[in-house]
Amino acid sequence: MIRFDQVTKRYASGHEAVHDLSFELAAGEMAFITGHSGAGKSTMLKLIGLIERPTRGHVTVNGQNLHGLRRGRIPELRRGIGMVFQDHRLLMDRSVYDNVALPLIIAGQSREEIARRVRAALDKVGLLERERAEPVTLSTGEQQRVGIARAIVAKPSVLIADEPTGNLDPQLSAEIMQLFADFQQVGTTVLVASHDLPLVKRMGKRVLVLNQGRLLDDWRPGGG
Ligand code: ADP
Ligand code: ADP
């Protein structure tokens, strides 16, 4: 689960990217964050992913209040959070397999366990037959799928994605969003930032609307 209690993030520039934000996403729930460019979507995800720290307030992920968390515990907590980025951040000189294996190698898993999990992850995103390919030979949509496989390979309980369809056409975008919904189906808590409001609405999930760092609206499927 993810909880924000009156969270404010002010960058060193003095700019307040997120202001007094409170919301809770239950374990196994899926939501989108939408809003114009600069609304604070990325900042919200960075606060969850322990890339940024709040200036005020508390962020809780998987029952762990991130405030005052000792540095040494950050890697362990990050392993429970899968992150997907718009630019997918793949290592272009490594195979698809190696890219997806990376989090497990860092976590010190055995070769056998890595092989089993990487293939399971690639199977879930429909890329099992491309494991030996180099990312440059894949389409943009396939590259994003590799990024998603890498994010979920360590079976995180929380999956966050920042504009994962930003570079994709509408058809591919819908397919990628459906993949995230599939991960929710198996129990993952999923939070996806996207400015593509028509696509977000079609998914029929909860939508958090950000405007200038403030929570403007919180739509839930079925009205309200
Ligand atoms: P979004 O993802 O909705 O486009 P961001 O969270 O990236 O919004 O940015 C929110 C605001 O914070 C923007 O005005 C942006 O310029 C500013 N901002 C983002 N990152 C930084 C940073 N590292 N330093 C200063 N200002 C930043
Ligand atoms: P339209 O009715 O044509 O979709 P809007 O886009 O302005 O018009 O949305 C109107 C209202 O519909 C919103 O203010 C919100 O209350 C509700 N709504 C929009 N999208 C969703 C959604 N994904 N889930 C639940 N309610 C929604």
Side-chain angles (χ1 to χ4, degrees):
M1 47 69 79
I2 298 166
R3 195 171 75 229
F4 275 46
D5 292 302
Q6 298 182 297
V7 172
T8 292
K9 173 64 188 180
R10 185 196 308 269
Y11 284 109
S13 62
H15 185 84
E16 240 180 51
V18 163
H19 180 81
D20 198 29
L21 195 65
S22 297
F23 80 98
E24 182 165 348
L25 193 64
E29 197 180 358
M30 175 166 178
F32 289 94
I33 313 168
T34 194
H36 298 296
S37 176
K41 304 182 295 295
S42 291
T43 300
M44 247 177 98
L45 295 179
K46 285 175 182 167
L47 291 166
I48 296 165
L50 289 145
I51 296 165
E52 294 288 351
R53 294 280 189 134
T55 310
R56 281 196 306 279
H58 295 277
V59 177
T60 306
V61 179
N62 291 334
Q64 172 73 55
N65 187 333
L66 306 186
H67 183 78
L69 190 70
R70 278 185 294 111
R71 221 167 252 286
R73 293 214 42 221
I74 290 178
E76 173 195 332
L77 216 81
R78 280 220 182 105
R79 278 200 284 279
I81 306 168
M83 289 185 235
V84 176
F85 308 93
Q86 176 174 349
D87 57 2
H88 52 69
R89 305 190 186 177
L90 300 178
L91 302 173
M92 287 298 180
D93 58 344
R94 306 284 182 86
S95 68
V96 164
Y97 182 99
D98 288 349
N99 269 278
V100 176
L102 206 58
L104 302 179
I105 292 168
I106 292 167
Q109 304 266 348
S110 72
R111 272 176 75 103
E112 294 73 26
E113 181 70 4
I114 291 173
R116 201 179 60 73
R117 293 235 204 145
V118 169
R119 298 210 167 98
L122 286 174
D123 188 37
K124 282 186 190 128
V125 302
L127 281 180
L128 198 49
E129 74 285 4
R130 307 303 303 272
E131 65 176 11
R132 285 293 142 210
E134 283 189 7
V136 279
T137 67
L138 303 180
S139 69
T140 315
E142 287 172 331
Q143 289 176 358
Q144 190 53 287
R145 285 170 186 269
V146 177
I148 294 170
R150 183 185 52 191
I152 56 95
V153 73
K155 294 196 159 196
S157 49
V158 170
L159 181 59
I160 58 180
D162 195 356
E163 298 285 357
T165 65
N167 295 322
L168 305 179
D169 66 36
Q171 169 70 29
L172 284 174
S173 296
E175 286 174 22
I176 292 290
M177 288 304 192
Q178 187 52 48
L179 262 183
F180 287 108
D182 292 345
F183 289 116
Q184 184 210 4
Q185 285 299 313
V186 296
T188 311
T189 309
V190 182
L191 188 57
V192 179
S194 172
H195 64 264
D196 188 346
L197 193 53
L199 174 59
V200 162
K201 283 184 171 182
R202 276 202 302 279
M203 297 301 293
K205 305 286 184 189
R206 184 175 168 192
V207 183
L208 302 166
V209 185
L210 276 191
N211 185 40
Q212 298 188 349
R214 288 168 163 82
L215 192 58
L216 194 71
D217 219 333
D218 187 348
W219 303 332
R220 289 166 190 274

